[in-house]
Amino acid sequence: MKIGVLCSGGDAPGMNPCIRAIVRAAEKFEGYSVVGIRHGYQGLLDREFWGGTDRKIESREVSGLMNRGGSFINSSRCSRMRDPEGLQEAANILRELRFDALITIGGNGTLSGARDLGQYWDGQIIGIPGTIDNDINGSDFTIGFPTAVQTGVEAIDKLRDTAGSHDMMFLVEVMGRHCGDLATYTAIAGGCEVVAIPETMTSIQQIVNQLTYCKNLGKRSIIMVVAEGDEFGNSAEIMKALKEAGCPFEMRNVVLGHVQRGGSPVPADRILATRLGVCAVDAIKDGKTGVMVGMVNGQITYTSLEEAVVGRRGKAEDMEKLIKRMSI
Ligand code: F6P
C-alpha cells in the first residue's frame, strides 16, 4: 500500500504531529509506505516529493516533530485543483506513480479539492481537518485551532497590561475567514468585553452604548476582538465608526494576522493531530474513501467530504452573549 500525504492551504500548528502519526501508524504497524508530497496539490502537479523522489518517509525521519509548528512537507494554495484539467492531471500522476491512497490535511479548500479529485481518481482519499479557522463540518475542533486561540490569548494578555496603564481600548483583529470561532474563543479566554463576528450583525451604536455603560461602572480598559470576516468591516473600519459614534475610550487596533498560524502546537493540538492521523490510516486499512476523519464529543467520526465542506454552524451567537454578560 503506497499512501501519499500532503498539506494544503494555510498551514496550522499540529500538521507536523499529524504527519508523524500517519507515518508511524502506517509503517510500523501496517507495513504501508507513506510518501510526503511537498507544497500540497501544487507539489503533486509539479511532482515535488519530500526527500527528492516518491520514496517512503522512514519512521525515524519524523522524530522531533511533535513540538514543531508549520508543515515540514510545506503547504500551498493551488487554484488548478478547481479546474477539471488540473484535477485530471493530478489523478494521472497518482495513477502513474502507483499511489493507492491519498491523505490530505487542510481546511475547506483542501477538502473540496480532495472531494473533486475523487471524480478523476479511484484510489482511496481521506481528509483530515487542519486549519486555524475551525470551520469544518464533522469535527468539533480542527487541528491548529487550539494553538491559534492560545496565541491570541497571549497577545491579549499583553495588550491588557498596556490598556490598563493607559485607560485605553484595543481592537484585536484575528483570522478565521468566515467563521467567528477563533474570535469568540479568544475573547472568552482573554476576558474581552466585546466581539465582532460574521455570524451576527455588528451594531456600532449598541457597542458604544455597552462601552458607555462599562465606563460608568468604572471600567478603565477594554479589549474588543474583531473577526477578519465580520460583515461590518475590519478592525480599522470598526474603530473609525466607533470613534464617529462617540466611543468613550481612546482606541488602537492590532492585527494579529499570520502570527496565529505559527508556534509550537499546544497539547490539545498534538493529541488531536495524533488521533486523527492514526484514524486516517485505519480508515484506509478499512477500505474507506471520500471521507474526512474528525472528532465529535471525543469520538472519532467519518464525514463525507461533500458534507465536511458545507461549513460548520457553531454556537457563535451564544458565545457572543456570554462575552457580553462577562463584560460588566
Ligand atoms: O485558512 C487559514 C487562514 O489563515 C485564514 O484564517 C485566513 O483568512 C487565510 O488563511 C489567510 O490566507 P493567506 O495566507 O493566503 O493570506
Side-chain angles (χ1 to χ4, degrees):
M1 173 72 76
K2 180 173 170 183
I3 305 171
V5 60
L6 61 80
C7 298
S8 172
D11 63 349
M15 282 178 163
N16 279 330
C18 190
I19 302 164
R20 169 185 181 270
I22 292 166
V23 170
R24 295 227 164 134
E27 290 180 1
K28 279 264 174 263
F29 296 97
E30 309 302 340
Y32 300 162
S33 301
V34 177
V35 174
I37 299 165
R38 296 187 61 193
H39 293 111
Y41 294 114
Q42 188 58 52
L44 174 60
L45 293 168
D46 295 341
R47 298 167 188 253
E48 203 192 340
F49 302 103
W50 189 81
T53 58
D54 61 327
R55 71 157 175 92
K56 75 172 195 176
I57 306 176
E58 300 290 344
S59 258
R60 291 275 60 78
E61 291 179 309
V62 291
S63 296
L65 285 179
M66 200 48 127
N67 59 351
R68 269 176 58 191
S71 162
F72 82 101
I73 57 169
N74 311 100
S75 188
S76 75
R77 300 194 190 278
C78 177
S79 56
R80 289 189 63 204
M81 288 301 281
R82 289 197 285 269
D83 297 335
E85 296 79 26
L87 289 160
Q88 185 63 66
E89 195 177 330
N92 291 346
I93 293 170
L94 288 167
R95 224 172 276 127
E96 181 195 321
L97 298 178
R98 299 183 180 283
F99 279 96
D100 301 293
L102 179 68
I103 299 176
T104 65
I105 312 169
N108 206 283
T110 307
L111 300 172
S112 303
R115 174 201 59 194
D116 297 344
L117 183 61
Q119 292 169 14
Y120 296 81
W121 183 57
D122 56 9
Q124 289 172 260
I125 305 179
I126 305 293
I128 299 182
T131 165
I132 65 165
D133 299 340
N134 209 38
D135 58 349
I136 302 298
N137 193 33
S139 195
D140 288 342
F141 297 106
T142 54
I143 296 168
F145 175 72
T147 305
V149 172
Q150 172 78 23
T151 301
V153 171
E154 283 169 10
I156 282 167
D157 288 348
K158 291 185 171 74
L159 290 168
R160 181 70 81 175
D161 290 344
T162 183
S165 302
H166 292 269
D167 293 350
M168 273 178 62
M169 169 167 169
F170 279 98
L171 290 90
V172 183
E173 185 174 317
V174 299
M175 283 188 165
R177 278 178 83 232
H178 310 299
C179 180
D181 277 19
L182 192 49
T184 55
Y185 279 70
T186 303
I188 291 173
C192 304
E193 287 76 14
V194 194
V195 74
I197 50 175
E199 292 87 343
T200 60
M201 288 297 287
T202 298
S203 159
I204 296 297
Q205 195 51 56
Q206 269 177 26
I207 295 171
V208 170
N209 293 348
Q210 182 191 347
L211 294 177
T212 306
Y213 183 73
C214 286
K215 183 140 195 171
N216 291 339
L217 286 177
K219 274 223 156 190
R220 291 173 35 224
S221 73
I222 298 287
I223 309 272
M224 173 175 181
V225 179
V226 177
E228 66 173 356
D230 185 68
E231 82 298 333
F232 187 92
N234 61 27
S235 57
E237 289 160 341
I238 292 179
M239 183 167 75
K240 186 167 175 276
L242 286 173
K243 194 170 178 192
E244 282 165 9
C247 175
F249 290 93
E250 189 190 334
M251 292 174 283
R252 297 279 190 280
N253 73 313
V254 174
V255 180
L256 291 187
H258 291 76
V259 168
Q260 294 154 103
R261 290 229 302 250
S264 178
V266 297
D269 270 325
R270 299 182 194 194
I271 295 164
L272 181 65
T274 302
R275 291 190 71 183
L276 294 186
V278 171
C279 287
V281 174
D282 289 347
I284 290 171
K285 188 180 161 196
D286 294 344
K288 293 190 168 58
T289 187
V291 293
M292 180 196 79
V293 291
M295 185 87 71
V296 175
N297 295 329
Q299 302 298 318
I300 293 295
T301 53
Y302 303 95
T303 305
S304 71
L305 291 168
E306 197 70 53
E307 286 173 75
V309 297
V310 298
R312 203 175 58 86
R313 187 100 198 118
K315 299 262 181 256
E317 293 90 344
D318 295 351
M319 298 289 263
E320 186 176 350
K321 280 187 198 136
L322 181 61
I323 291 159
K324 201 167 181 184
R325 282 180 77 183
M326 291 295 106
S327 71
I328 50 170

